[in-house]
């Protein structure tokens, strides 16, 4: 069985947890989109690479490339701070400005070699109690179920990200406009804006309703000259509730997700065949 869809929007995020770029076209390789999550902040108090789950103010920043990034590694990117000031990722003042913003000593890092395992080891938890820490990360109330962490690759129990990357789990995230529209209808008064959920690929699915991508686990997506494998639903975290740009802080977003989707939204993807695609391209999803 095949499902048809169209690419509605494409996104790249140069710095982990900061706002990114809306692009007309993307290329993908085995490590996803060149330049995507190529920089990240390290917590110099508790250790470990961190993002908006730890430092919400990172989401009030945005980042972009002034020139197209190299296929590998971390090309220079420009960061715009909440006050409108800009800096480059390589600036000597970057660490200090980000430390002042988040209120905690941090440093900004490019991607490090996969052999540098210590760089990717998870830092100490914010809360000593494991359940309390997980509820903080996933914004779950005491009577709400926590995500099933066994769906994630086993290495993520020890490391903050797949080794050699700053991705949460897989190199790409796919989301449908239909899921956003469905949730907006189920939870009026809350803004289910794609920016809250940070997809790389936003699809418009033909004649679909509900949460179409949640039925796509294990299927393949042909998009332009690339082929993706759709892996697992994305368990959402506290970042979806933070306020930034014109979006208000809204814990009700997570309440609606838990009630209507089990806390998931969107689907992670890996790259089977490298290629290129653009906004407006037709997409075919097929059984494995």
């Amino acid at each position: 069985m095949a499902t048809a869809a169209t690419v509605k929007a494409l996104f790249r995020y140069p710095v982990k947890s900061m706002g990114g770029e809306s692009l007309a076209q993307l290329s993908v390789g085995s490590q996803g989109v060149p330049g995507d999550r190529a920089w990240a902040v390290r917590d110099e108090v508790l250790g470990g690479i961190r993002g908006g789950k730890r430092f919400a103010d990172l989401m009030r920043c945005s980042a972009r490339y002034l020139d197209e990034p190299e296929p590998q590694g971390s090309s220079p990117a420009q960061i715009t701070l909440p006050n409108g000031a800009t800096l480059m990722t390589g600036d000597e003042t970057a660490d200090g400005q980000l430390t002042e913003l988040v209120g905690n000593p941090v440093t900004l890092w490019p991607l490090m070699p996969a052999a540098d395992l210590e760089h990717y080891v998870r830092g100490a938890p914010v809360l000593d109690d494991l359940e309390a820490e997980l509820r903080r990360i996933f914004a779950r109330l005491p009577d709400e179920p926590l995500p099933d962490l066994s769906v994630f690759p086993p290495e993520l129990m020890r490391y903050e990200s797949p080794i050699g990357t700053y991705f949460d789990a897989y190199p790409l995230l796919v989301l449908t406009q239909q899921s956003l529209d469905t949730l907006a209808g189920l939870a009026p008064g809350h803004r289910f804006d794609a920016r809250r959920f940070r997809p790389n690929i936003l699809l418009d699915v033909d004649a679909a309703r509900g949460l179409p991508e949640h039925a796509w686990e294990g299927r393949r997506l042909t998009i332009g000259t690339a082929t993706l494998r759709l892996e697992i639903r994305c368990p959402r975290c506290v970042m979806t509730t933070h306020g930034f740009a014109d979006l208000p802080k809204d814990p009700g977003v997570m309440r609606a997700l838990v009630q209507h989707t089990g806390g998931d939204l969107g689907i992670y993807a890996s790259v089977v065949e490298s290629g290129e695609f653009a906004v407006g391209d037709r997409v075919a999803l097929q059984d494995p």
Side-chain angles (χ1 to χ4, degrees):
M1 179 180 67
T3 301
T6 303
V7 177
K8 181 171 183 176
L10 297 168
F11 303 94
R12 176 177 63 196
Y13 308 90
V15 182
K16 184 180 180 70
S17 292
M18 294 186 184
E21 307 170 289
S22 178
L23 301 175
Q25 61 183 30
L26 286 180
S27 62
V28 295
S30 61
Q31 293 298 313
V33 179
D36 191 45
R37 279 88 169 186
W39 296 85
V41 162
R42 178 179 176 82
D43 183 345
E44 295 300 333
V45 175
L46 295 178
I49 294 298
R50 306 283 179 153
K53 301 179 188 68
R54 168 83 164 113
F55 301 122
D57 282 327
L58 291 176
M59 297 188 68
R60 299 170 57 220
C61 302
S62 62
R64 68 187 183 107
Y65 291 107
L66 302 183
D67 299 300
E68 275 302 296
E70 295 295 325
Q72 304 292 330
S74 301
S75 298
Q78 183 187 70
I79 295 171
T80 300
L81 299 172
N83 64 4
T86 61
L87 59 98
M88 296 300 295
T89 48
D91 286 357
E92 293 182 356
T93 64
D95 294 346
Q97 292 190 68
L98 292 173
T99 290
E100 182 178 0
L101 174 69
V102 305
N104 185 93
V106 296
T107 49
L108 182 64
W109 286 79
L111 290 167
M112 300 302 287
D116 188 357
L117 295 179
E118 189 63 29
H119 179 71
Y120 296 97
V121 170
R122 286 190 176 275
V126 174
L127 303 176
D128 291 334
D129 181 82
L130 177 59
E131 180 173 338
E133 174 73 346
L134 291 174
R135 292 193 179 279
R136 180 193 70 81
I137 291 170
F138 292 102
R140 304 302 168 86
L141 298 178
D143 62 343
E144 293 175 337
L146 288 165
D148 177 7
L149 300 183
S150 70
V151 302
F152 287 108
E155 67 182 317
L156 296 182
M157 298 302 104
R158 174 167 172 75
Y159 300 104
E160 183 67 29
S161 57
I163 301 303
T165 81
Y166 292 143
F167 305 124
D168 283 347
Y170 293 92
L172 295 168
L173 181 69
V174 179
L175 182 65
T176 68
Q177 184 62 47
Q178 284 65 34
S179 288
L180 295 175
D181 293 345
T182 294
L183 286 161
L186 291 169
H190 303 283
R191 292 180 62 185
F192 287 87
D193 189 299
R195 290 174 295 168
R196 286 198 185 275
F197 306 103
R198 304 174 62 78
N200 295 107
I201 303 168
L202 181 65
L203 298 180
D204 192 358
V205 184
D206 295 358
R209 291 179 291 179
L211 308 165
E213 67 269 40
H214 285 194
W216 295 349
E217 289 177 311
R219 298 178 71 180
R220 292 197 174 193
L221 181 155
T222 302
I223 175 172
T225 58
T227 301
L228 311 180
R229 174 182 163 83
L230 299 164
E231 301 285 357
I232 61 171
R233 298 181 189 181
C234 178
R236 307 312 307 212
C237 71
V238 69
M239 288 175 59
T240 63
T241 72
H242 291 331
F244 60 95
D246 61 330
L247 296 173
K249 181 177 180 178
D250 187 0
V253 168
M254 183 55 73
R255 306 286 75 74
L257 288 174
V258 171
Q259 179 180 357
H260 299 295
T261 76
D264 301 340
L265 187 62
I267 189 166
Y268 285 121
S270 58
V271 179
V272 177
E273 295 182 12
S274 302
E276 299 179 351
F277 44 89
V279 172
D281 280 358
R282 294 291 286 170
V283 174
L285 294 108
Q286 297 183 337
D287 291 332

